[in-house]
Amino acid sequence: MNKKYFKFIFYVLPSMIFVAISFNNCGRYGQLPISEDFASTGSSSVEETDSEKLGIPYALLSAEQTMASMMRVTNVTAVSTTLSNEYTSRYGALAAGNDLSMANGPLMLSATSLAGEVCNSLLTAEKAQAAAQRAFFGSVNFAAGVNSLTDEQFASSVRGMARSYWGRNVNAEELTLLQGYKTEFVAALAAAARTQAASTSNLMLATCAAMLSSFDAITY
């Protein structure tokens, strides 16, 4: 992930900074390959801790729950080799249970990287569909450069992702921050790059991954 991407993560989603600096517990260390059962069903038999019994107002998704949730809310049904490898490599830094005190900087960065691969699978699937069939990017023309993407078209995708990833509507402040990132993203590109189709994919990938790995997306 490039510097612009990480700047977006911490600028648009300040709650992630709060999590990173407020807790010092480490996540789980070691690796756990994705089982055939998980790959086919998106579920796991691993037992998690009960955050409610600990009196914690928010519960953190465990590593297994994070993966399953990211796939479910994006409608990604197949675990590609790339996604499987990313999950396995990031597993050790993700949470071993649901206690919010397990959240830390490495966990948030690992969630971001995992979200990037899930979003890459999502974009690949939706690009192959007709615009009317897409769940999140129906208003986005992936064959055109980012300079042709209007604020309203961008906002339409953000609203759809917020409802699915966060279980609620995006608020005005969040939308303003996300729109601000779009403006900065476009401004940072050379004029020629703004007309290239890849620029649109890169913007929507970064936006998707940031929203999918935000505090609201990995807690309940």
Side-chain angles (χ1 to χ4, degrees):
M1 299 293 175
N2 59 35
K3 292 181 179 178
K4 181 188 295 181
Y5 183 82
F6 282 117
K7 176 184 177 184
F8 172 57
I9 297 298
F10 290 99
Y11 175 68
V12 175
L13 302 164
S15 61
M16 295 181 67
I17 299 177
F18 173 79
V19 172
I21 66 176
S22 297
F23 303 98
N24 57 19
N25 269 50
C26 292
R28 174 184 327 190
Y29 290 90
Q31 294 184 342
L32 178 68
I34 298 177
S35 66
E36 293 182 3
D37 178 66
F38 181 90
S40 62
T41 66
S43 63
S44 171
S45 59
V46 175
E47 187 174 333
E48 296 87 16
T49 61
D50 187 346
S51 184
E52 291 183 2
K53 292 181 180 179
L54 300 174
I56 300 173
Y58 290 96
L60 183 67
L61 295 180
S62 68
E64 295 84 1
Q65 290 172 325
T66 296
M67 178 67 163
S69 176
M70 285 183 176
M71 292 182 64
R72 182 174 62 253
V73 299
T74 57
N75 301 323
V76 172
T77 58
V79 180
S80 67
T81 299
T82 302
L83 178 54
S84 176
N85 290 340
E86 183 68 20
Y87 174 71
T88 300
S89 66
R90 300 295 178 180
Y91 182 88
L94 296 173
N98 305 117
D99 189 338
L100 192 62
S101 67
M102 292 179 183
N104 54 27
L107 180 145
M108 301 306 296
L109 293 179
S110 293
T112 298
S113 292
L114 180 60
E117 290 301 337
V118 174
C119 286
N120 190 48
S121 294
L122 169 60
L123 262 69
T124 298
E126 293 218 350
K127 284 180 184 180
Q129 299 173 333
Q133 297 176 321
R134 298 173 186 166
F136 303 103
F137 306 115
S139 61
V140 178
N141 181 2
F142 287 105
V146 73
N147 62 342
S148 68
L149 183 68
T150 68
D151 284 349
E152 183 49 43
Q153 289 170 334
F154 179 75
S156 177
S157 289
V158 166
R159 293 187 186 103
M161 287 188 286
R163 286 192 293 269
S164 186
Y165 302 176
W166 302 342
R168 61 173 176 82
N169 291 324
V170 63
N171 63 40
E173 181 181 8
E174 291 163 342
L175 183 57
T176 297
L177 288 170
L178 287 160
Q179 291 281 20
Y181 172 70
K182 173 180 176 291
T183 299
E184 289 187 6
F185 182 96
V186 176
L189 294 175
R194 298 173 191 174
T195 64
Q196 297 174 357
S199 62
T200 299
S201 294
N202 290 339
L203 171 63
M204 300 316 299
L205 175 62
T207 305
C208 172
M211 295 180 68
L212 186 59
S213 61
S214 68
F215 186 75
D216 277 7
I218 64 171
T219 59
Y220 64 94

